[in-house]
Amino acid sequence: MKHQRAKHPIFVAVSGTGRLLSHLLTVESHHSYSVVGVVTSHPNCQAVTIADKKHIPVFSGDFPRVVNQPKTAATIQNIESSEIHGFYQRYQPVLTVLAGFIRPFPFDEEWPALNIHPSLLPKYSGVGFYGSKVHQAVIASDDVVSGASCHWVSEEYDQGEILSQVVVPRLFDDNEYTLAARVFKSEKKLLPTSIDLALKVVISKS
Ligand code: GRF
C-alpha cells in the first residue's frame, strides 16, 4: 500500500477570479498542502464561489486599501489584533498563500504568508502594480523577459524576501494579453512547488 504522508493545512487568500485557487485545488494531491480555508477581501468574487462549491470555509473581511504612505495599511494591524484571528485559531494553517489577493495582508510573524506576483520582482511592484497593469508596463518597456515571483509577505507591500521566480520570454509581437497568458501559465507551475518549498522552510523553523 502506498504510504500517505501528512498534509500541511494552508489558507488561500483571494480577491478575484480564483484561477490560481482552482488550480491549487486541482493539483493538491501531488503536493504537501491541503487548503483548509479561504480568506477574501471581496465576498462576492468568483474565487469564493469556487471555495463554496468545495465546502471550504471562507472568511470575508474588510481589508483596507493600499495607502500611499511609507508604512502601508498592512502594518496597521496584525492577525492577532484583527477580526480574522478566530478563523486562524480555528483552522491553524501553517501557511497562508496570497493568490490574487489585491489588498495589503496583515503581517504577522506567527502566521507566515507567501504572495505570488506576476512580475520579476523587484520590477513592477508596489502600489498600482497588479494584474494587467504589470503586463502593460512590461509591454511599454524594453524588457525582453517577464515572469513571476513568490515572496514572503512582510510589513512592506510587495517587498518581502523572494522565495522563487520563473522567467518567461517577452516576444516581439506580444501584447499585454498574450504576455499575461504566458506569465499565468508559468505561475501555475511555480506556485504549487513554491508552496511545498515554503512549507519546508516554515516547518523547519517550528
Ligand atoms: C496572478 O497573476 C497572481 O500573480 C496575481 O493574481 C493573479 C491570480 O489571480 N497576484 P486569480 O487567480 O486570477 O484570481
Side-chain angles (χ1 to χ4, degrees), residues 16-21 99-101 115-118 184 187:
T17 64
R19 293 173 302 163
L20 281 176
L21 170 64
F101 187 81
N115 180 45
I116 183 159
H117 186 79
F184 186 72
E187 289 186 83

Side-chain angles (χ1 to χ4, degrees), residues 13-23 45-47 50 98-102 115-119 129-131 135 147-149 180 183-184 187 191:
V14 292
S15 304
T17 64
R19 293 173 302 163
L20 281 176
L21 170 64
S22 176
H23 179 66
C45 71
Q46 278 174 263
I50 292 167
L98 278 55
F101 187 81
I102 62 168
N115 180 45
I116 183 159
H117 186 79
S119 80
F129 279 121
Y130 57 88
H135 306 300
S149 309
V183 170
F184 186 72
E187 289 186 83
L191 187 56

